[in-house]
Amino acid sequence: MSRKPTLAVVGATGAVGTVMLQILSQHADIWGEIRLVASPRSAGRKATVRGEETEVLALGEDVFDGVDVAMFDVPEEVSAQWAPIAASKGVVVVDNSAAFRMDPDVPLVVPEVNPHAARVRPRGIVANPNCTTLSMIVAIGALHAEFGLRELIVSSYQAVSGAGRDGVETLRRQMQLVAGSELGTSPGDVRRAVGDDTGPFPEPVALNVVPWAGTLRDEGWSSEEMKVRDESRKILGLPDLKVAATCVRVPVVTTHSLTVHARFEDEVTVARAREIIATAPGVVLFDNPAAGEFPTPADVVGTDPTWVGRVRRSLDDPTALELFVCGDNLRKGAALNTAQIAELVAAEFTGR
C-alpha cells in the first residue's frame, strides 16, 4: 500500500539545509511529515518549509522514530556518528558529507547518471557527491554514455560558499577592505590590507585566486582534488579512469566553474557533443561566444541545471573535447542532488 513517507532534514538551519527547505517547498509534495533537525544550539528555532513554520528539533536518537528517509547536511564527523544510528532504526539516510562516499557498501548517486545505484544500499545509507564533482558530472556522464570516457583533466574555480558561511563572510569582509582602493598593483598590498583575516582560506581571496581547496594529501594533492578523481570513477563505474584535477578558490560567492578536457574512446564531433549536452536531463547548453554567450557564476547562481559552454574539439586530439561548466554548488552541488536522491527512495514508498 502506497503512502507518503516521513522525512527528516538533519542540519536544517545551515547554508545547504536552508536551500534544502526551499527545494522541498518548490518540488512536488511527495512527503508526509517533514521534521527539521539541527544541533542542540539551534533547537527551538523556527524554519519555514512548504509554507509552514516548523520548530527545529535537537539531534538525538528519538528524532528518527517513525522516519523513513533522512537528508543529512552536517559536518563529516556528525554524519559518521549519527547516520548509522538513523539507519539502525530503519531510516534510509541520504548523506551530503564525505563520511561515506568511498565506502564500497554505500552507493554514490547522481540521479541523472546512475539512479539504479540508489536501490542497493547495504548500510542503509546513500552518499551525495562533492559539490565540485557534481558541478560537472551530469554533463560528463551524458557524454560518456555516447563516446566512452577515457581521461579527465579539470581545473575548478570554486566559490567561497563551498567553505560554508565562514567562507562567504570572509570574502565579504575582505571586499569591504579593498573596495575603492588602488590595491592589487604591488606585491603583498592586498595581503597587508587583509591582514590575518583570511578565514578558512590560506591566502586572501578578494582580488585574488587561491590554488588550493581542501586539506593536504599525499604528494601535494589536495583532498578536494582527490574527491574529483575518486568520485568521478565511482559514479561512472570507471575504476581506472585517468583523472587530474587542480582546485582553485576564486572571489565568487556561490557557483563553481570548471574547465574540462575530456578524452574519449572514439573520435568526437562538436555537433554531436552539442546535441547530447542540449538534450541531457539537468543540463543547459549556453554556447555562442560570438554573441558573448557562455556560462558564468553570476548568471548561473540560484539555478538548478549544469550549464555548459565553450564546447570545442581539442586542436591536437580528435578524441578530446574542451568544455566550460558552471553549477550552483549549494543547489545541484549539494541540496538539490540530495533531494533528488531522497525522491528516488521516496518512490519506493509511494509506488510512483
Side-chain angles (χ1 to χ4, degrees), residues 136-137 140 144 148-154 221 225-234 236-246 260-265 317 319:
M136 68 163 185
I137 202 67
I140 295 301
H144 166 59
L149 187 64
R150 282 197 300 168
E151 182 178 13
L152 279 175
I153 302 173
V154 303
W221 294 95
E225 292 159 351
M226 295 308 295
K227 287 174 188 176
V228 173
R229 174 183 173 88
D230 296 339
E231 293 174 17
S232 296
R233 288 174 159 189
K234 185 172 181 178
L236 298 173
L238 298 171
D240 298 319
L241 180 68
K242 295 179 180 179
V243 183
T246 300
V260 179
H261 171 84
R263 292 181 65 232
F264 299 94
E265 297 288 349
D317 185 348
T319 70

Side-chain angles (χ1 to χ4, degrees), residues 21-336:
L21 301 190
Q22 295 171 4
I23 289 170
L24 289 170
S25 301
Q26 294 162 352
H27 282 207
D29 187 8
I30 63 170
W31 303 103
E33 178 191 354
I34 297 179
R35 293 182 198 171
L36 307 185
V37 183
S39 64
R41 69 177 179 274
S42 297
R45 288 167 56 178
K46 297 286 184 67
T48 301
V49 61
R50 297 188 297 190
E52 297 180 7
E53 273 205 341
T54 304
E55 184 173 333
V56 177
L57 307 174
L59 179 58
E61 289 192 34
D62 57 333
V63 300
F64 298 111
D65 291 342
V67 170
D68 299 299
V69 182
M71 301 195 303
F72 272 59
D73 185 68
V74 291
E76 184 175 341
E77 62 274 13
V78 179
S79 282
Q81 177 185 353
W82 284 98
I85 291 171
S88 72
K89 289 175 167 279
V91 180
V92 179
V93 174
V94 184
D95 182 45
N96 188 40
S97 82
F100 303 99
R101 287 176 186 150
M102 300 317 298
D103 186 323
D105 290 327
V106 175
L108 186 65
V109 175
V110 181
E112 297 91 340
V113 180
N114 62 340
H116 54 280
R119 289 187 170 271
V120 183
R121 39 182 192 263
R123 297 191 61 182
I125 301 169
V126 183
N128 193 55
N130 177 258
C131 53
T132 314
T133 307
L134 276 168
S135 295
M136 68 163 185
I137 202 67
V138 179
I140 295 301
L143 292 167
H144 166 59
E146 175 78 8
F147 297 125
L149 187 64
R150 282 197 300 168
E151 182 178 13
L152 279 175
I153 302 173
V154 303
S155 290
S156 70
Y157 309 96
Q158 295 180 218
V160 294
S161 57
R165 291 189 192 277
D166 188 22
V168 176
E169 291 167 0
T170 297
L171 174 60
R172 294 201 187 281
R173 287 195 306 271
Q174 291 182 1
M175 288 173 65
Q176 289 178 341
L177 291 170
V178 302
S181 72
E182 298 295 322
L183 293 169
T185 57
S186 62
D189 59 357
V190 172
R191 179 187 295 280
R192 286 189 292 274
V194 168
D196 295 330
D197 187 18
T198 58
F201 310 116
E203 305 282 347
V205 71
L207 300 183
N208 204 17
V209 298
V210 182
W212 188 260
T215 56
L216 183 63
R217 295 295 173 87
D218 292 345
E219 298 182 4
W221 294 95
S222 79
S223 58
E224 197 81 2
E225 292 159 351
M226 295 308 295
K227 287 174 188 176
V228 173
R229 174 183 173 88
D230 296 339
E231 293 174 17
S232 296
R233 288 174 159 189
K234 185 172 181 178
I235 294 162
L236 298 173
L238 298 171
D240 298 319
L241 180 68
K242 295 179 180 179
V243 183
T246 300
C247 292
V248 181
R249 195 72 71 179
V250 296
V252 168
V253 174
T254 297
T255 295
H256 290 348
S257 306
L258 297 96
T259 56
V260 179
H261 171 84
R263 292 181 65 232
F264 299 94
E265 297 288 349
D266 304 311
E267 187 168 329
V268 296
T269 67
V270 169
R272 180 61 182 139
R274 290 172 60 90
E275 183 181 353
I276 293 164
I277 293 165
T279 57
V283 182
V284 172
L285 177 67
F286 189 59
D287 188 22
N288 184 0
E293 294 179 351
F294 30 71
T296 70
D299 300 314
V300 169
V301 63
T303 68
D304 287 345
T306 297
W307 294 68
V308 182
R310 301 298 318 281
V311 181
R312 295 148 288 155
R313 192 166 82 163
S314 175
L315 293 173
D316 302 309
D317 185 348
T319 70
L321 288 171
E322 316 295 335
L323 315 168
F324 187 77
V325 182
C326 285
D328 186 314
N329 54 295
L330 299 184
R331 292 188 73 86
K332 183 57 179 176
L336 175 63

